[in-house]
Amino acid sequence: EELGTERSEMAGDSSTKKAPQPLPLWKSFGASAFSACTAELLTLPFDTGKVRLQLQGTPTPGVAPKYKGLVGTVGTIAKEEGAAALWKGWQPGLHRQCLFGGLRIGLYDPVKSQVSRLMDGEGAAESSFGAKVVSGLITGGVAISIANPTDLVKVRLQAQGRQALAEAGKAPPKPKYPSAMAAYRMIAKEEGIAGLWTGVVPNITRNSVINATELATYDQVKQMLLASKIVDDNVFCHILSGLGAGLCACIVGSPVDVVKSRVMGDSVGMYSGTVDCFVKTMKNDGIMAFYKGFIPNFTRLGSWNVAMFLTLEQVKKLISE
């Protein structure tokens, strides 16, 4: 009888323990946009190096590749184009993070609350991992569908480095796009308004998958660390969770990331679409091309996630007090 009473009390306690309520959407969006922009500025040189490595095809036998590794690529870009070139595309990068980052991260908790209610039932103490993944897929897909033009312009600006485009023995041409705003106008004029959504299918695929992996992994790792009592809810916990999120996102998202960069960086019509890019990359460069730049990609994603989540946790703490 006492055991039955104890069970009923335990059941009553668990039923009254509910998941914490998310911040209002406007606060969540603002905190997410600010945190994403901070992380973008801190880690953009890694992203520029990653894009150059991905766009570099398999070199001719006997000819040394232009870019070697993250440090070598960053050094080559800084030497040939100046240190400022490492932040090439910072304007559309911030446009992208304000819009895409604010939406995908800001919507995650409100969407997760509703998805968890459907998948886990009313009053669940914690959202299931499945609910977290579904929420990340939804917010990532919706956000990039809106923000694709900012991503396209960012990749085009990063890919058009003057030395990167120069042919051997010839003077490097002037950049096609002098600024981010000019790039938006020129792409719309030359390729039509729909041209701003070039690569939107691989971009939705990539960003839905990476967003779900990042946010669900961070959420889950943090939950497990706190439940284990190994660490408290502090900076060390956020760093470990951010690194875990970056590693998982890099492993899962590298193939679609390479295809996305090549399709978006293609302004000469080399690829007719996502599938064509996938097939040509596989045929010409082999399967390992889909993990080209994996180390700089992880360096970028790992450091980006740590910077973003550290900033986000602190900003949320400030605005919720």
Side-chain angles (χ1 to χ4, degrees), residues 40 177 229 243 255:
E40 185 75 8
Y177 307 114
K229 308 294 185 183
L243 285 172

Side-chain angles (χ1 to χ4, degrees), residues 192-230:
I193 294 297
L196 290 167
W197 273 265
T198 296
V200 69
V201 174
N203 220 10
I204 288 175
T205 303
R206 171 193 182 264
N207 284 284
S208 294
V209 170
I210 291 181
N211 189 59
T213 307
E214 279 181 354
L215 298 183
T217 301
Y218 180 86
D219 212 351
Q220 192 70 19
V221 170
K222 181 183 173 184
Q223 180 184 318
M224 291 169 66
L225 286 173
L226 294 177
S228 70
K229 308 294 185 183
I230 295 174

Side-chain angles (χ1 to χ4, degrees), residues 34-321:
F34 176 80
S35 302
C37 286
T38 299
E40 185 75 8
L41 286 175
L42 290 174
T43 64
L44 191 58
F46 297 144
D47 192 47
T48 300
K50 179 205 73 174
V51 170
R52 293 287 181 89
L53 283 170
Q54 288 176 335
L55 293 176
Q56 177 176 258
T58 302
T60 304
V63 178
K66 183 180 180 68
Y67 301 121
K68 295 181 180 180
L70 177 61
V71 175
T73 301
V74 169
T76 299
I77 295 171
K79 181 180 179 181
E80 295 184 347
E81 304 169 44
L86 294 170
W87 276 269
K88 192 180 293 291
W90 70 268
Q91 287 178 308
L94 293 189
H95 297 166
R96 178 183 188 271
Q97 293 303 339
C98 277
L99 191 56
F100 175 61
L103 287 171
R104 76 178 180 96
I105 303 164
L107 287 172
Y108 176 72
D109 280 338
V111 169
K112 184 179 71 172
S113 180
Q114 298 302 315
V115 172
S116 180
R117 185 179 301 172
L118 293 173
M119 294 180 64
D120 307 324
E122 291 281 351
E126 297 284 356
S127 299
S128 65
F129 185 67
K132 294 169 184 175
V133 171
V134 171
S135 302
L137 288 170
I138 292 171
T139 61
V142 169
I144 200 59
S145 296
I146 297 170
N148 194 80
T150 63
D151 210 21
L152 176 71
V153 168
K154 176 188 167 189
V155 171
R156 291 279 178 95
L157 287 175
Q158 287 176 320
Q160 74 166 6
R162 296 183 67 183
Q163 294 292 338
L165 292 180
E167 295 181 15
K170 295 183 179 180
K174 291 183 179 180
K176 180 177 181 179
Y177 307 114
S179 68
M181 298 311 296
Y184 289 119
R185 291 194 298 270
M186 291 171 69
I187 292 170
K189 181 179 179 180
E190 295 173 4
E191 304 173 37
I193 294 297
L196 290 167
W197 273 265
T198 296
V200 69
V201 174
N203 220 10
I204 288 175
T205 303
R206 171 193 182 264
N207 284 284
S208 294
V209 170
I210 291 181
N211 189 59
T213 307
E214 279 181 354
L215 298 183
T217 301
Y218 180 86
D219 212 351
Q220 192 70 19
V221 170
K222 181 183 173 184
Q223 180 184 318
M224 291 169 66
L225 286 173
L226 294 177
S228 70
K229 308 294 185 183
I230 295 174
V231 295
D232 295 323
D233 190 358
N234 55 24
V235 169
F236 185 58
C237 174
H238 304 156
I239 289 174
L240 290 178
S241 303
L243 285 172
L247 177 60
C248 290
C250 191
I251 292 171
V252 171
S254 278
V256 287
D257 190 41
V258 169
V259 171
K260 183 217 75 166
S261 291
R262 292 194 174 192
V263 170
M264 285 189 152
D266 175 29
S267 57
V268 296
M270 182 183 297
Y271 307 114
S272 61
T274 306
V275 175
D276 183 56
C277 179
F278 183 89
V279 171
K280 286 181 177 176
T281 300
M282 173 73 80
K283 180 180 178 181
N284 297 331
D285 302 328
I287 193 169
M288 291 310 297
F290 294 108
Y291 284 91
K292 186 184 290 291
F294 181 84
I295 297 300
N297 201 15
F298 171 61
T299 303
R300 157 70 167 169
L301 278 174
S303 59
W304 194 96
N305 275 277
V306 168
M308 191 280 291
F309 283 116
L310 275 175
T311 306
L312 182 64
E313 295 279 8
Q314 298 307 309
V315 172
K316 279 188 171 182
K317 187 182 294 184
L318 285 173
I319 63 179
S320 61
E321 289 177 350

